[in-house]
Amino acid sequence: MSWSGEFSKFDGALLLVALLVCLVIIIRQGGQSPRHGRAATSGKPRTFTRMAMLAAGLLMLVAGGHLLVDASVVIAIHLGLSERIIGLTVIAIGTSLPALMTSLIAALRGERDIAVGNVIGSNLFNLLGVLGLTALVAPTPLTISPNALVFDLPIMLGVSLLCVPLFYSGYRMDRIEGLLLLALYLTYGLHILAISTGMALAERLEGLMLTFALPVLGIIVAWGTVRAWRRQH
């Protein structure tokens, strides 16, 4: 879809249909899977209280994210950053902070399925739901920057493919693998910052990440993946 340089209403409708199919599959699998974790306590008052807390939490997350994004965009525009850079960095981070906090809290409480499911579900909804609905209701097709096609999109696909061996290395994510993903995002952010601002420090940090940190982490993760695969087979 994106290689045409724009997202039409038809493309948006296809993405929404794909989201619906994914939701149906996930719900069916969830109904067949055994439940883990804490046993749910019965009682309508407690259920109503939890639902009210959930609604209040969602409202606060939305309001906080809205304020954060607005303030960040003003600062970014003041610094002379382009709309693409703002979307890839400031807005992307700002809108992902609620998901980050949700996953962190779930992981600290031992609800690891929620932590991982939140990340995967958020990405699915962003790609299929947000992009699809935006393309569907926009008065004109959504144009895609050529830089996004030749650089940002391949990076996104590459990182997604990288997650496959990471997830299958013992069916868990350890700290080293998490550090690798953080280092990848840091390198990507430094690259964007170096290109958009010409900051010498960002260029040096990017070079350090590419020539030292990422290769070392990549070797460690590859070795761990091979060892996990050997244990399973």
Side-chain angles (χ1 to χ4, degrees):
M1 296 179 183
S2 60
W3 291 114
S4 63
E6 62 181 22
F7 273 100
S8 64
K9 294 182 181 297
F10 179 74
D11 295 332
L14 287 180
L15 292 177
L16 290 176
V17 171
L19 175 63
L20 180 61
V21 172
C22 289
L23 289 177
V24 171
I25 295 174
I26 291 172
I27 291 174
R28 286 184 175 180
Q29 290 179 345
Q32 298 172 357
S33 301
R35 296 184 179 180
H36 303 282
R38 305 171 185 173
T41 56
S42 59
K44 290 184 178 180
R46 187 173 181 84
T47 301
F48 177 79
T49 302
R50 294 296 184 184
M51 292 179 64
M53 292 173 61
L54 175 63
L58 289 175
L59 288 175
M60 287 188 288
L61 284 175
V62 172
H66 182 73
L67 293 175
L68 176 65
V69 170
D70 285 348
S72 301
V73 168
V74 171
I75 295 174
I77 293 177
H78 180 72
L79 295 176
L81 300 178
S82 66
E83 292 183 357
R84 168 176 165 264
I85 302 301
I86 294 174
L88 289 172
T89 55
V90 177
I91 296 180
I93 295 174
T95 55
S96 298
L97 284 178
L100 172 63
M101 294 306 301
T102 301
S103 292
L104 285 177
I105 294 173
L108 291 174
R109 291 182 176 179
E111 302 287 349
R112 294 177 176 83
D113 287 343
I114 294 179
V116 177
N118 174 55
V119 174
I120 298 175
S122 296
N123 282 279
L124 278 176
F125 186 77
N126 283 332
L127 286 172
L128 302 178
V130 175
L131 185 58
L133 185 60
T134 303
L136 190 62
V137 302
T140 58
L142 301 177
T143 57
I144 304 172
S145 168
N147 291 328
L149 288 176
V150 300
F151 180 74
D152 302 314
L153 183 60
I155 290 293
M156 183 187 71
L157 295 176
V159 173
S160 299
L161 292 175
L162 175 64
C163 288
V164 175
L166 293 182
F167 288 164
Y168 279 95
S169 60
Y171 300 100
R172 61 186 179 87
M173 288 282 293
D174 57 27
R175 288 183 173 85
I176 295 296
E177 293 168 343
L179 186 60
L180 172 63
L181 295 178
L182 287 175
L184 285 173
Y185 185 77
L186 179 60
T187 304
Y188 174 74
L190 290 173
H191 177 78
I192 292 178
L193 185 62
I195 290 179
S196 60
T197 63
M199 188 182 299
L201 178 59
E203 293 179 356
R204 288 196 293 269
L205 289 175
E206 179 192 6
L208 179 63
M209 295 292 293
L210 289 174
T211 58
F212 177 73
L214 288 181
V216 171
L217 287 172
I219 292 172
I220 294 174
V221 171
W223 174 246
T225 302
V226 171
R227 291 184 61 187
W229 184 85
R230 286 180 176 177
R231 286 196 301 267
Q232 294 173 11
H233 296 79

